[in-house]
Amino acid sequence: MYPQLNIDLSKLRINLDKISEIVKNKANCSLMIVTKSYCADLEILKLIENSDVDYIADSRIENLRKSEKIKKEKVLLRLPMISEAEDVVKYADISLNSEIEVVKKLNYAQKLLKYDNLNLKKHKILLMIDVGDLREGIFYKNEIEIFDIVEEILKLEYIELFGLGVNLTCYGAVIPQYDNLSLLVNISKKIEKRFNIELKMLSGGNSSSLHLIEKNKLPHNINNLRIGEAFIRGTETAYGKKLKGLYDDAFVLLAEIIEIKEKPSVPIGDIGVDAFGTTLIYEDKGIIKRAIIAIGRQDINIDGLIPVDSELCILGASSDHLILDITSCKIPYRVGDVIKFKLTYSGILSSFTSDYVKKVYLE
Ligand SMILES: *Cc1c(COP(=O)(O)O)cnc(C)c1O
């Protein structure tokens, strides 16, 4: 049954071991493995359960609920909605926060939970600081705002201020460097001194922070990283460099050829817009060999496909059809053959959220 996503668990296991070696052994950080891009798939969760990963992290409660039985601490990555506070404290041990109203609601929800379980610890939070990427967090220059929220948090009986976190390279595409991560370290030192407390965790970002480890430029006080893409695709994400010894093809998408015809490369007639409202420009290559495969924009994000056969070229896609130029291919493709693709981050994400893509596990 196609389209089909092959999930190679032994390649993922090797990727996980290598990430752990880099983050835990080399950088001396604790490791959160991020499960959102594969919707907290249960088979992959089992790999994580049997590894030395410290935390399971996800942006969605639905996904954390899937990992409820796994004996690792759980982290909610996206700032909580006030409306989900009860579930946040139920399914996550730690959450990332920047708004005092939300933290107060979490405090109240944790208090209610504690009625049922007196042994329950406090809900831990990482206060997010924005050092320039301009997504979540309190802007690093607004020190008064940072001190005020810390003061408020410290008053809450059922919340522990566990540490600080920073996120980079998601919205503003800002690359983590020694200097901007040091801003986080400096703020933490100021907080510790001012309030006479210890901040246990300084979470220094995601897969885009890995390049600093190799260069020995990760500030020493950073003691945690949250890794998603590097685990599943084997690349760091600041410069898109492949990491040594990791696989970039743990996920492979397969789709079947339903037509092969020789036709011109330029459509004939007046050109309007395509099914998705865009005007395309067609290069005139004369008569070409075109293949249609049975996958389209309703199945996955087509821009996330990387053909394994580098001689074939993606011409375009509609809802249910993907059109390929196979003129230069050495492989003599026939109708019924299967075309393989490696996937970008969005390709993996959209394959997992799609009900139309069948998931197959390779051991
Ligand atoms: C998604 C996410 C991550 C993981 O990012 P990768 O680039 O996949 O490593 C880390 N932290 C936060 C807050 C996230 O939302």
Side-chain angles (χ1 to χ4, degrees):
M1 269 255 299
Y2 301 105
Q4 172 178 316
L5 180 70
N6 282 353
I7 304 163
D8 191 321
L9 294 171
S10 48
K11 286 183 178 172
L12 284 173
R13 188 177 300 118
I14 290 168
N15 282 7
L16 195 57
D17 287 346
K18 300 272 179 194
I19 289 292
S20 168
E21 199 179 300
I22 297 169
V23 173
K24 296 190 56 128
N25 301 352
K26 197 146 182 241
N28 233 331
C29 286
S30 64
L31 173 59
M32 295 180 182
I33 284 289
V34 177
T35 55
K36 65 190 181 203
S37 56
Y38 40 95
C39 302
D41 177 89
L42 290 175
E43 295 300 321
I44 304 175
L45 277 179
K46 275 189 220 158
L47 285 185
I48 300 169
E49 184 174 30
N50 297 318
S51 72
D52 62 353
V53 166
D54 302 287
Y55 303 89
I56 288 176
D58 205 293
S59 46
R60 289 162 197 267
I61 294 288
E62 294 92 320
N63 290 345
L64 288 181
R65 193 183 288 140
K66 287 194 200 167
S67 52
E68 195 184 2
K69 297 242 157 59
I70 293 178
K71 290 185 186 59
K72 303 264 183 198
E73 278 200 87
K74 314 295 177 342
V75 183
L76 181 67
L77 292 173
R78 184 171 63 189
L79 306 178
M81 297 180 242
I82 288 184
S83 60
E84 64 180 357
E86 285 80 10
D87 281 342
V88 173
V89 296
K90 189 168 173 199
Y91 296 108
D93 304 285
I94 305 176
S95 59
L96 277 45
N97 284 274
S98 68
E99 295 285 357
I100 190 64
E101 294 96 314
V102 180
V103 181
K104 283 182 176 167
K105 187 73 198 292
L106 294 176
N107 181 59
Y108 182 68
Q110 183 76 355
K111 177 180 172 177
L112 295 184
L113 259 196
K114 220 169 147 71
Y115 285 140
D116 297 333
N117 177 1
L118 294 175
N119 295 324
L120 201 69
K121 296 197 186 78
K122 294 180 180 186
H123 179 75
K124 297 177 202 159
I125 69 165
L126 291 180
L127 184 63
M128 294 305 280
I129 306 293
D130 187 339
V131 300
D133 199 57
L134 307 184
R135 201 176 75 177
E136 72 271 50
I138 307 167
F139 194 49
Y140 72 102
K141 285 188 178 165
N142 301 347
E143 281 193 358
I144 305 290
E145 189 185 347
I146 296 173
F147 293 149
D148 283 352
I149 190 169
V150 168
E151 190 172 342
E152 289 292 306
I153 292 168
L154 292 176
K155 287 181 195 157
L156 301 173
E157 202 176 334
Y158 303 95
I159 297 288
E160 177 187 350
L161 180 59
F162 194 53
L164 305 181
V166 68
N167 196 61
L168 287 157
T169 344
C170 272
Y171 170 71
V174 172
I175 293 175
Q177 301 290 7
Y178 183 86
D179 289 352
N180 52 16
L181 291 185
S182 295
L183 294 171
L184 187 75
V185 174
N186 292 342
I187 290 166
S188 89
K189 284 183 179 156
K190 284 185 188 167
I191 292 173
E192 288 185 327
K193 198 159 160 230
R194 191 179 175 109
F195 295 97
N196 193 23
I197 55 170
E198 187 200 349
L199 294 175
K200 297 198 183 92
M201 180 177 281
L202 281 189
S203 186
N206 54 47
S207 300
S208 67
S209 293
L210 290 172
H211 76 103
L212 292 172
I213 298 174
E214 194 187 339
K215 298 170 188 151
N216 222 347
K217 282 277 162 61
L218 188 73
H220 281 308
N221 300 58
I222 299 290
N223 62 7
N224 172 268
L225 292 178
R226 314 178 302 269
I227 304 295
E229 182 162 356
F231 160 47
I232 55 171
R233 297 192 61 231
T235 47
E236 60 82 35
T237 56
Y239 305 101
K241 260 178 54 190
K242 207 177 165 301
L243 295 166
K244 223 177 101 206
L246 281 80
Y247 290 95
D248 66 354
D249 60 350
F251 299 98
V252 174
L253 189 85
L254 286 68
E256 184 174 331
I257 301 178
I258 53 174
E259 181 186 288
I260 296 178
K261 300 284 180 209
E262 307 228 334
K263 296 188 206 177
S265 66
V266 182
I268 294 102
D270 295 334
I271 307 290
V273 292
D274 73 4
F276 287 82
T278 43
T279 314
L280 294 180
I281 292 157
Y282 302 93
E283 191 189 340
D284 190 357
K285 295 189 272 186
I287 300 288
I288 59 172
K289 199 172 192 185
R290 307 165 70 98
I292 300 177
I293 56 176
I295 189 168
R297 294 185 196 272
Q298 190 169 12
D299 301 291
I300 63 150
N301 177 5
I302 294 303
D303 302 326
L305 294 175
I306 306 163
V308 171
D309 179 348
S310 58
E311 284 155 333
L312 69 77
C313 179
I314 297 173
L315 293 175
S318 53
S319 304
D320 320 295
H321 301 78
L322 185 80
I323 303 159
L324 305 171
D325 178 355
I326 57 168
T327 314
S328 323
C329 294
K330 290 192 189 65
I331 301 170
Y333 289 112
R334 295 170 54 183
V335 171
D337 284 353
V338 160
I339 304 281
K340 290 182 180 170
F341 300 91
K342 293 199 244 185
L343 298 165
T344 66
Y345 186 81
S346 82
I348 295 170
L349 187 76
S350 58
S351 297
F352 271 97
T353 55
S354 173
D355 284 343
Y356 299 110
V357 176
K358 185 169 177 259
K359 281 80 181 173
V360 172
Y361 299 94
L362 313 177
E363 284 300 332

